[in-house]
Amino acid sequence: MKKRTFIKLSSTLMAAPIFSPLSNLFANDKLKNWAGNLQYSTDRLYKANSVKEVQELVKKYEKLKVLGTRHCFNNIADSTNNLISLREMDQVVSLDTKAHTVTIESGMSYGQLCPYLDKKGFALHNLASLPHISVAGACTTATHGSGVKNGNLSTAVSALEIVTAAGDVRTLSRAKDGENFRAAVVGLGALGVVTKVTLDILPTFQMRQYVYENLPTDQLKDHFEAIMSSGYSVSLFTDWQKKRINEVWIKSKVGKDDAKAKPEFYGAKLATKNLHPIAELSAVNCTEQMGVAGPWYERMPHFRMGFTPSSGKELQSEYFVPRKNAMEAILAVEKLRDHISPHLMISELRTIDADNFWMSPCYKQPSLAIHFTWKQDWASVRKVLPMIEKELAPFQVRPHWGKLFTLAPATLQSRYARLADFKEFVKEFDPKGKFRNDFLARNLYSGAV
């Protein structure tokens, strides 16, 4: 963009009324998600800079959805009516060093929050592969990192502030609200507009990561728990071919028991250079490996804070099964390797501890997440997903809420024991369905509006 154009555009933005649709200024640009596979159903996107402005928007419109960092691959955040952005509400509200909590505005991303916490001497217990996602969006969809003892990102939430459909401000906390809190944290955007999030924090720590190549599947079968417990956070990357795991990423805390990596790990060989999860790609955007110690937030994600890991030209699906069935599920998917591989970029296997949030895929069960990064060819991928879902059906599989799946609504609903309770709870916040969109209508309400 030319400097003169930028200055003119900036002046227009500053002069625009607060409730003018932002997209009207970009009439030639269609609003899409990060991957580019989804075009949103309206160009009416409004910004809010404060809770008061959120309340005014909520009161003004009959239908509304919050649009976060646009990293969802399906239409969970879509609206045919109005979208609201809280991206400019991205400040730390308070840091309570005695209670070990931080309260932030919901537009803040992990990439913004983590360096701040580290400078103050604190850390988060877990992070996702990408630091570019918003904290509120990640928590409301039960997005996760990895670790047999690590709950997903929402398990760090200790309080939420939500603007309801009536424009009222409600606060829910773990300490005071019990089951209502457990219903609200993984809220799928159904309750209202989350404006503040309070997270538990830990003393800061250093980490290092090593990568091993070509782990035989037979070793995984015989030593699954030991392999997945070998670090604070462990990820396995596979293309499902040659009866092996392509790469094992082991992320460990630096401490007194910290040991130098062995040249071999259950038959896998220690990598001699930094690797990308897709071995053919450059590792320049990946977090530092080779055992080099660094801050927790520069090791737990796979990709660096300062870089976009790719242009987004991909599709993603992810399925959760009970960890007790992990190897059965992995071998069931492996049988489909020749159907999967032509359309696949890479798969990742991660473990997540159980939680008690009603709509979390990890509700009351330690889980294995089987992730697929696909080539951007939905016509082909949509034919493969039912095959995967059929193979994983015996394990009561649950899909990631923000990624692509084809599971029938009735089947999906049957996998959530507290779904009826959740829908009753939603009525307290949104009795007329102001925040209900096509995704929620189909998947939670079987299409009934």
Side-chain angles (χ1 to χ4, degrees), residues 10-265:
S10 300
S11 300
T12 304
L13 284 169
M14 288 186 287
I18 188 64
F19 294 150
S20 294
L22 295 180
S23 54
N24 286 352
L25 302 171
F26 304 93
N28 295 325
D29 295 332
K30 296 296 184 181
L31 189 64
K32 294 184 178 181
N33 65 345
W34 170 75
N37 69 298
L38 175 70
Q39 181 175 307
Y40 293 98
S41 302
T42 179
D43 63 356
R44 297 175 62 85
L45 174 64
Y46 303 91
K47 67 175 180 178
N49 295 302
S50 67
V51 175
K52 182 180 178 181
E53 290 176 4
V54 171
Q55 290 177 282
E56 290 174 3
L57 281 165
V58 169
K59 290 176 182 177
K60 183 174 181 178
Y61 296 107
E62 292 185 5
K63 300 286 285 185
L64 193 70
K65 291 299 293 183
V66 179
L67 191 62
T69 49
R70 293 188 265 171
H71 276 81
C72 288
F73 291 80
N74 60 31
N75 63 341
I76 189 171
D78 193 19
S79 173
T80 58
N81 299 280
N82 303 284
L83 295 166
I84 176 175
S85 170
L86 277 60
R87 291 293 298 276
E88 295 185 28
M89 294 174 60
D90 62 353
Q91 300 300 304
V92 174
V93 177
S94 64
L95 177 68
D96 190 330
T97 58
K98 292 183 179 179
H100 277 204
T101 62
V102 63
T103 299
I104 62 171
E105 293 179 320
S106 62
M108 178 169 272
S109 70
Y110 285 96
Q112 294 170 293
L113 175 61
C114 293
Y116 167 86
L117 286 178
D118 190 59
K119 287 179 182 178
K120 298 293 185 179
F122 293 100
L124 298 171
H125 83 291
N126 206 355
L127 290 173
S129 299
L130 295 177
H132 310 76
I133 56 178
S134 70
V135 175
C139 292
T140 203
T141 54
T143 297
H144 60 93
S146 186
V148 294
K149 296 180 179 179
N150 298 330
N152 62 34
L153 304 184
S154 62
T155 58
V157 176
S158 61
L160 290 171
E161 179 185 272
I162 303 173
V163 175
T164 70
D168 300 325
V169 177
R170 289 276 302 272
T171 300
L172 295 165
S173 71
R174 184 193 301 139
K176 296 180 180 179
D177 293 288
E179 284 297 291
N180 284 348
F181 173 77
R182 291 186 275 277
V185 174
V186 182
L188 309 179
L191 300 173
V193 183
V194 176
T195 47
K196 292 187 181 71
V197 182
T198 300
L199 303 172
D200 295 333
I201 52 178
L202 311 167
T204 190
F205 54 91
Q206 294 266 303
M207 297 187 79
R208 66 176 88 247
Q209 65 178 334
Y210 291 99
V211 176
Y212 288 85
E213 297 182 88
N214 298 317
L215 173 77
T217 303
D218 285 344
Q219 291 286 344
L220 189 64
K221 283 191 290 188
D222 295 338
H223 306 285
F224 178 82
E225 286 295 330
I227 289 169
M228 300 308 292
S229 303
S230 60
Y232 183 84
S233 174
V234 177
S235 292
L236 311 181
F237 292 96
T238 180
D239 60 6
W240 303 102
Q241 296 294 322
K242 300 180 181 178
K243 296 189 180 297
R244 54 92 169 93
I245 301 297
N246 304 42
E247 298 177 12
V248 181
W249 289 41
I250 303 174
K251 304 166 189 274
S252 302
K253 284 187 173 182
V254 173
K256 61 181 180 181
D257 298 325
D258 200 27
K260 187 176 180 180
K262 297 179 181 179
E264 189 169 314
F265 177 79

Side-chain angles (χ1 to χ4, degrees), residues 346-365:
I346 200 68
S347 274
E348 182 178 9
L349 309 175
R350 289 180 285 181
T351 53
I352 309 98
D353 203 3
D355 60 56
N356 55 15
F357 301 129
W358 295 1
M359 299 306 293
S360 169
C362 302
Y363 178 66
K364 293 192 174 180
Q365 68 177 30

Side-chain angles (χ1 to χ4, degrees), residues 271-389:
T272 57
K273 62 179 182 179
N274 284 355
L275 295 177
H276 190 284
I278 304 171
E280 296 79 14
L281 299 183
S282 169
V284 65
N285 292 349
C286 297
T287 47
E288 190 68 38
Q289 301 156 34
M290 305 296 292
V292 178
W296 54 279
Y297 70 91
E298 292 182 353
R299 295 297 178 272
M300 267 196 279
H302 301 326
F303 299 100
R304 297 175 187 263
M305 295 272 183
F307 295 85
T308 301
S310 73
S311 63
K313 297 298 183 183
E314 62 191 54
L315 302 176
Q316 292 185 14
S317 301
E318 187 168 33
Y319 297 99
F320 298 79
V321 297
R323 200 169 88 208
K324 64 183 181 181
N325 302 123
M327 275 314 305
E328 296 170 87
I330 292 168
L331 294 175
V333 174
E334 188 185 43
K335 290 191 301 184
L336 299 173
R337 58 186 176 273
D338 292 336
H339 296 281
I340 291 171
S341 291
H343 316 295
L344 186 72
M345 298 174 87
I346 200 68
S347 274
E348 182 178 9
L349 309 175
R350 289 180 285 181
T351 53
I352 309 98
D353 203 3
D355 60 56
N356 55 15
F357 301 129
W358 295 1
M359 299 306 293
S360 169
C362 302
Y363 178 66
K364 293 192 174 180
Q365 68 177 30
S367 300
L368 171 78
I370 306 175
H371 184 277
F372 300 87
T373 299
W374 303 104
K375 298 171 185 176
Q376 202 172 71
D377 178 6
W378 176 234
S380 298
V381 171
R382 71 187 305 171
K383 295 177 183 178
V384 178
L385 294 185
M387 298 181 193
I388 296 170
E389 292 163 358

